[in-house]
Amino acid sequence: MSGHSKWHNIQGRKNAQDAKRGKIFQKLSRDLYTVAKSGGADPDSNAALRLVMDKAKAANMPKDNIQRALDKATGLGGANYQELTYEGYGPAGVGVVVEVLTDNTNRTAAAVRSAFKHFGGELGTSGSVAFQFDRKGYMEIERPEDSDFDEDEVMMAALEAGADDVKTFDDQFEVYTDPKAFPEVRKALEEAGYVLQNDEVTLVAQNPMDVPEDKQESLARLVDELEEHDDVQAVFTTAE
């Protein structure tokens, strides 16, 4: 059994790493599409795109993934992609918002509906869940063990740059901003020498809810199934 357990542990870590990598690629694909859609797919003339492409390469994102995101933004191949949002409730009544980018609404709607059904949830109507979220700029600053980070300095740097709130945890700081202030706050923190592990404009639940232990696995599997679909760009929940 020890050999099996060792293999199981290694496989578990690999699956977790693959899932994390997949989410990183998913976010980068979304960012590539957004900046290419608004400023063009030529990095020589689109500084924002050039920055995201550099991040994608640093994350070892496959060239095919990068090109696919750019093709979607430019409509290459004649495909017409639409940005849509689905709202619904998952296990324990957790609110779920799913952002998609699709060239086949029937296919995507069926897949999203099926995922909710698999795990005891249901799709809702437009606006039935989204009101429970605020759109916020969000940044993570890693806090390495044995670091000499001064909490007050981090908080002051963020708040003086225009952040709305800073939350402190053992391993990181979370910085929240108004979406319009997000670029300025990010630039100020980077210039102050802080390394941002994650930075994006996202949806943040207004009142995160505790999920009963017997519903947590079902909720996690629902989110995983949604995120694994090629058309899904992001999944947000009201779970704590």
Side-chain angles (χ1 to χ4, degrees), residues 34-57:
T34 300
V35 296
K37 187 76 173 177
S38 61
D42 181 2
D44 291 334
S45 58
N46 185 342
L49 175 60
R50 191 162 59 247
L51 178 62
V52 178
M53 289 183 72
D54 287 342
K55 287 184 177 182
K57 292 174 182 176

Side-chain angles (χ1 to χ4, degrees), residues 100-203:
V100 307
L101 179 65
T102 180
D103 61 345
N104 186 323
T105 55
N106 291 334
R107 176 193 66 215
T108 305
V112 172
R113 186 178 295 107
S114 176
F116 275 91
K117 186 177 180 180
H118 282 174
F119 301 104
E122 62 179 353
L123 277 178
T125 57
S126 178
S128 62
V129 176
F131 72 92
Q132 300 180 49
F133 294 84
D134 291 322
R135 191 164 290 277
K136 292 279 189 179
Y138 171 77
M139 285 158 276
E140 294 176 6
I141 299 175
E142 186 178 11
R143 183 176 181 171
E145 292 184 13
D146 302 323
S147 70
D148 57 355
F149 269 30
D150 185 299
E151 290 186 12
D152 291 337
E153 287 184 5
V154 176
M155 295 184 70
M156 285 300 296
L159 295 174
E160 287 180 357
D164 293 336
D165 190 21
V166 180
K167 295 183 179 180
T168 302
F169 299 92
D170 290 340
D171 59 346
Q172 68 182 29
F173 298 91
E174 293 184 353
V175 180
Y176 295 86
T177 76
D178 181 277
K180 293 181 180 178
F182 173 70
E184 293 181 7
V185 175
R186 177 178 58 188
K187 181 180 179 182
L189 291 174
E190 289 178 335
E191 289 180 346
Y194 296 111
V195 178
L196 305 182
Q197 298 301 308
N198 187 20
D199 57 293
E200 62 182 330
V201 175
T202 186
L203 293 183

Side-chain angles (χ1 to χ4, degrees), residues 79-94:
N80 180 27
Y81 286 89
Q82 298 181 60
E83 296 177 76
L84 302 172
T85 300
Y86 294 96
E87 303 172 41
Y89 288 92
V94 171

